[in-house]
Amino acid sequence: MDIGIIGAGHIGGSLTRRLTAAGHTVFIANSRGPDTLADIAEETGAKAVTARETAQSGEIVIVTIPQNRIPDLPKDLFNGVDSSVVLVGTGNYYPRQRDGKIAGIEEGLAESQWVEKQLGKPVVKAFNNINWKNLLNDGKPAGTPGRIALPVSGNDANAKAKLIRIIDEIGFDAVDAGNLSESWRQQPDTPVYGTNLDLEGVRRALSEASPMRKPEWLAE
Protein backbone atom coordinates (compact mmCIF):
# COMPACT_ATOMS: atom_id res chain seq x y z
CA MET A 1 0.00 0.00 0.00
CA ASP A 2 1.13 3.58 -0.60
CA ILE A 3 1.08 5.54 2.66
CA GLY A 4 1.80 9.24 3.11
CA ILE A 5 3.21 10.70 6.33
CA ILE A 6 3.20 14.45 6.92
CA GLY A 7 5.56 15.06 9.83
CA ALA A 8 8.93 13.44 10.43
CA GLY A 9 9.21 13.76 14.20
CA HIS A 10 9.26 10.88 16.66
CA ILE A 11 5.87 9.41 15.69
CA GLY A 12 6.30 10.07 11.97
CA GLY A 13 9.76 8.56 11.98
CA SER A 14 8.65 5.51 13.96
CA LEU A 15 5.72 4.90 11.63
CA THR A 16 7.97 5.28 8.60
CA ARG A 17 10.29 2.61 9.96
CA ARG A 18 7.49 0.22 10.95
CA LEU A 19 5.51 0.64 7.73
CA THR A 20 8.45 0.28 5.35
CA ALA A 21 9.59 -2.80 7.28
CA ALA A 22 6.11 -4.25 6.70
CA GLY A 23 6.51 -3.77 2.95
CA HIS A 24 4.55 -0.57 2.37
CA THR A 25 5.72 2.33 0.20
CA VAL A 26 5.95 5.45 2.37
CA PHE A 27 6.00 9.04 1.15
CA ILE A 28 7.28 11.30 3.92
CA ALA A 29 7.29 15.09 4.20
CA ASN A 30 8.14 17.75 6.75
CA SER A 31 8.04 21.54 6.95
CA ARG A 32 11.71 21.94 5.99
CA GLY A 33 11.69 20.19 2.64
CA PRO A 34 12.64 16.80 1.17
CA ASP A 35 16.38 17.46 1.29
CA THR A 36 16.29 17.36 5.10
CA LEU A 37 14.86 13.83 5.02
CA ALA A 38 17.72 12.18 3.16
CA ASP A 39 18.85 10.14 6.16
CA ILE A 40 15.52 8.49 6.93
CA ALA A 41 14.84 8.00 3.22
CA GLU A 42 18.18 6.19 2.83
CA GLU A 43 17.63 4.15 6.00
CA THR A 44 14.10 2.99 5.21
CA GLY A 45 13.59 3.35 1.47
CA ALA A 46 10.83 5.90 2.06
CA LYS A 47 10.38 8.58 -0.61
CA ALA A 48 11.09 12.10 0.66
CA VAL A 49 8.68 14.52 -1.02
CA THR A 50 6.76 17.73 -0.31
CA ALA A 51 3.67 17.81 1.90
CA ARG A 52 1.52 18.43 -1.16
CA GLU A 53 2.97 15.39 -2.92
CA THR A 54 2.45 13.32 0.22
CA ALA A 55 -1.21 14.35 0.47
CA GLN A 56 -1.76 13.15 -3.10
CA SER A 57 0.27 9.94 -2.86
CA GLY A 58 -1.24 7.67 -0.26
CA GLU A 59 -4.19 5.35 0.18
CA ILE A 60 -3.67 6.33 3.80
CA VAL A 61 -2.25 9.75 4.72
CA ILE A 62 -1.08 10.29 8.30
CA VAL A 63 -0.76 13.84 9.64
CA THR A 64 1.57 13.78 12.63
CA ILE A 65 2.56 17.34 13.47
CA PRO A 66 2.03 19.42 16.63
CA GLN A 67 -1.59 20.45 17.13
CA ASN A 68 -0.78 24.15 16.96
CA ARG A 69 0.87 23.68 13.55
CA ILE A 70 -2.20 22.18 11.89
CA PRO A 71 -3.48 25.62 10.76
CA ASP A 72 -0.12 26.24 9.05
CA LEU A 73 -0.82 23.50 6.49
CA PRO A 74 -2.07 24.82 3.13
CA LYS A 75 -5.84 25.17 3.18
CA ASP A 76 -6.09 23.38 -0.16
CA LEU A 77 -3.65 20.59 0.77
CA PHE A 78 -6.24 17.86 0.35
CA ASN A 79 -8.20 19.36 -2.53
CA GLY A 80 -8.86 16.69 -5.12
CA VAL A 81 -7.85 13.84 -2.84
CA ASP A 82 -10.17 10.88 -3.44
CA SER A 83 -12.80 10.25 -0.79
CA SER A 84 -11.49 6.69 -0.37
CA VAL A 85 -8.18 7.98 1.06
CA VAL A 86 -7.99 7.49 4.83
CA LEU A 87 -6.77 10.64 6.58
CA VAL A 88 -5.30 9.91 10.01
CA GLY A 89 -4.55 12.44 12.74
CA THR A 90 -2.16 11.46 15.53
CA GLY A 91 -2.06 14.76 17.40
CA ASN A 92 -2.78 15.74 20.99
CA TYR A 93 -3.62 19.11 22.51
CA TYR A 94 -1.06 20.24 25.07
CA PRO A 95 -2.25 23.78 25.92
CA ARG A 96 0.20 24.57 28.71
CA GLN A 97 3.10 22.43 27.57
CA ARG A 98 3.28 23.42 23.87
CA ASP A 99 0.22 24.53 21.93
CA GLY A 100 -1.21 27.53 23.72
CA LYS A 101 -4.93 28.13 23.62
CA ILE A 102 -6.94 26.60 20.78
CA ALA A 103 -10.40 28.11 21.10
CA GLY A 104 -12.43 25.38 19.42
CA ILE A 105 -11.02 22.69 21.68
CA GLU A 106 -11.39 24.84 24.77
CA GLU A 107 -15.03 25.37 23.79
CA GLY A 108 -15.73 21.64 23.74
CA LEU A 109 -14.68 20.07 20.44
CA ALA A 110 -12.79 16.81 20.72
CA GLU A 111 -9.23 17.42 19.62
CA SER A 112 -9.60 15.49 16.37
CA GLN A 113 -12.93 17.11 15.54
CA TRP A 114 -11.04 20.40 15.56
CA VAL A 115 -8.35 18.89 13.31
CA GLU A 116 -11.03 17.64 10.92
CA LYS A 117 -12.43 21.16 10.63
CA GLN A 118 -8.97 22.56 9.86
CA LEU A 119 -8.18 19.96 7.19
CA GLY A 120 -11.62 19.95 5.59
CA LYS A 121 -11.68 16.16 5.28
CA PRO A 122 -12.94 13.31 7.51
CA VAL A 123 -10.29 12.26 10.01
CA VAL A 124 -9.56 9.02 11.84
CA LYS A 125 -7.75 9.42 15.17
CA ALA A 126 -5.02 6.90 16.01
CA PHE A 127 -1.42 6.55 17.26
CA ASN A 128 -1.92 9.44 19.69
CA ASN A 129 -1.86 7.46 22.93
CA ILE A 130 1.39 5.54 22.49
CA ASN A 131 4.94 6.74 23.15
CA TRP A 132 7.10 6.74 20.03
CA LYS A 133 9.62 4.36 21.59
CA ASN A 134 6.90 1.77 22.22
CA LEU A 135 5.55 2.30 18.71
CA LEU A 136 8.99 1.73 17.23
CA ASN A 137 10.15 -1.16 19.39
CA ASP A 138 7.24 -3.03 20.98
CA GLY A 139 5.18 -4.43 18.12
CA LYS A 140 4.46 -8.16 18.51
CA PRO A 141 2.97 -10.89 16.31
CA ALA A 142 -0.79 -11.33 16.41
CA GLY A 143 -1.89 -13.53 19.29
CA THR A 144 1.05 -12.64 21.55
CA PRO A 145 -0.21 -12.36 25.15
CA GLY A 146 -0.20 -8.76 26.34
CA ARG A 147 0.12 -7.35 22.81
CA ILE A 148 -0.35 -3.58 22.98
CA ALA A 149 -3.67 -2.36 21.57
CA LEU A 150 -4.39 1.06 20.12
CA PRO A 151 -7.76 2.87 20.00
CA VAL A 152 -9.03 4.08 16.63
CA SER A 153 -11.81 6.68 16.43
CA GLY A 154 -13.67 7.92 13.36
CA ASN A 155 -17.00 8.13 11.61
CA ASP A 156 -16.22 5.90 8.61
CA ALA A 157 -16.25 2.20 9.48
CA ASN A 158 -14.43 1.24 6.27
CA ALA A 159 -11.66 3.76 6.90
CA LYS A 160 -11.19 2.48 10.44
CA ALA A 161 -11.13 -1.13 9.22
CA LYS A 162 -8.41 -0.33 6.67
CA LEU A 163 -6.29 1.40 9.30
CA ILE A 164 -6.84 -1.38 11.83
CA ARG A 165 -5.43 -3.88 9.31
CA ILE A 166 -2.30 -1.75 8.97
CA ILE A 167 -1.96 -1.45 12.74
CA ASP A 168 -2.08 -5.24 13.00
CA GLU A 169 0.60 -5.56 10.33
CA ILE A 170 3.03 -3.39 12.28
CA GLY A 171 2.58 -5.39 15.47
CA PHE A 172 -0.35 -4.02 17.46
CA ASP A 173 -3.96 -4.88 18.15
CA ALA A 174 -6.58 -2.17 17.64
CA VAL A 175 -9.93 -1.29 19.17
CA ASP A 176 -12.68 0.56 17.33
CA ALA A 177 -13.24 3.40 19.81
CA GLY A 178 -16.37 4.80 18.19
CA ASN A 179 -17.13 7.98 16.29
CA LEU A 180 -14.84 10.98 16.22
CA SER A 181 -17.12 12.73 18.70
CA GLU A 182 -16.11 10.00 21.18
CA SER A 183 -12.38 10.44 20.56
CA TRP A 184 -12.01 12.41 23.80
CA ARG A 185 -11.84 8.95 25.38
CA GLN A 186 -8.25 8.60 24.06
CA GLN A 187 -7.03 12.17 24.65
CA PRO A 188 -4.18 12.98 27.08
CA ASP A 189 -4.82 12.22 30.74
CA THR A 190 -7.45 9.56 30.00
CA PRO A 191 -7.02 5.97 31.26
CA VAL A 192 -5.86 4.72 27.84
CA TYR A 193 -3.26 7.43 27.29
CA GLY A 194 0.32 6.18 27.51
CA THR A 195 -0.59 2.99 29.36
CA ASN A 196 0.24 0.31 26.74
CA LEU A 197 -2.81 -1.81 27.55
CA ASP A 198 -3.93 -4.96 25.75
CA LEU A 199 -7.28 -5.35 23.98
CA GLU A 200 -9.37 -5.86 27.08
CA GLY A 201 -7.47 -3.18 28.94
CA VAL A 202 -8.10 -0.64 26.19
CA ARG A 203 -11.80 -1.45 26.05
CA ARG A 204 -12.04 -1.04 29.81
CA ALA A 205 -10.03 2.19 29.82
CA LEU A 206 -12.18 3.73 27.09
CA SER A 207 -15.32 2.94 29.07
CA GLU A 208 -13.85 4.58 32.18
CA ALA A 209 -12.82 7.86 30.52
CA SER A 210 -14.41 11.15 31.52
CA PRO A 211 -15.16 13.99 29.08
CA MET A 212 -14.24 16.56 31.74
CA ARG A 213 -10.74 17.97 31.35
CA LYS A 214 -8.75 18.57 34.49
CA PRO A 215 -7.66 22.20 34.94
CA GLU A 216 -4.05 21.39 34.07
CA TRP A 217 -5.21 20.24 30.62
CA LEU A 218 -6.94 23.56 29.88
CA ALA A 219 -5.24 26.72 28.68
CA GLU A 220 -4.28 29.15 31.40
Side-chain angles (χ1 to χ4, degrees), residues 25-171:
T25 299
V26 172
F27 298 82
I28 187 170
N30 65 9
S31 61
R32 295 177 295 141
D35 291 347
T36 66
L37 297 169
D39 287 348
I40 192 169
E42 182 177 0
E43 174 193 341
T44 65
K47 301 178 185 298
V49 296
T50 66
R52 196 170 296 278
E53 289 173 298
T54 299
Q56 303 287 333
S57 296
E59 298 169 63
I60 295 175
V61 177
I62 302 168
V63 178
T64 180
I65 64 176
Q67 204 85 337
N68 63 354
R69 299 298 302 276
I70 292 288
D72 296 340
L73 293 172
K75 298 302 180 186
D76 62 349
L77 184 61
F78 293 99
N79 284 5
V81 172
D82 192 86
S83 60
S84 65
V85 172
V86 180
L87 181 57
V88 182
T90 77
N92 292 307
Y93 178 45
Y94 301 117
R96 301 192 184 191
Q97 300 88 341
R98 182 191 65 198
D99 297 321
K101 182 178 180 179
I102 296 177
I105 298 174
E106 293 285 332
E107 292 163 6
L109 283 176
E111 295 169 8
S112 292
Q113 287 181 304
W114 178 82
V115 171
E116 188 174 74
K117 286 181 176 293
Q118 305 307 304
L119 299 182
K121 291 285 185 180
V123 166
V124 176
K125 185 182 184 77
F127 303 116
N128 75 294
N129 73 308
I130 186 170
N131 181 275
W132 69 271
K133 293 179 182 178
N134 301 114
L135 181 61
L136 180 62
N137 298 315
D138 293 341
K140 305 294 182 185
T144 302
R147 192 188 201 208
I148 295 172
L150 306 178
V152 177
S153 301
N155 298 336
D156 186 324
N158 290 329
K160 287 188 287 187
K162 181 182 283 189
L163 183 60
I164 285 170
R165 289 196 297 272
I166 294 296
I167 290 171
D168 177 64
E169 287 182 18
I170 64 172

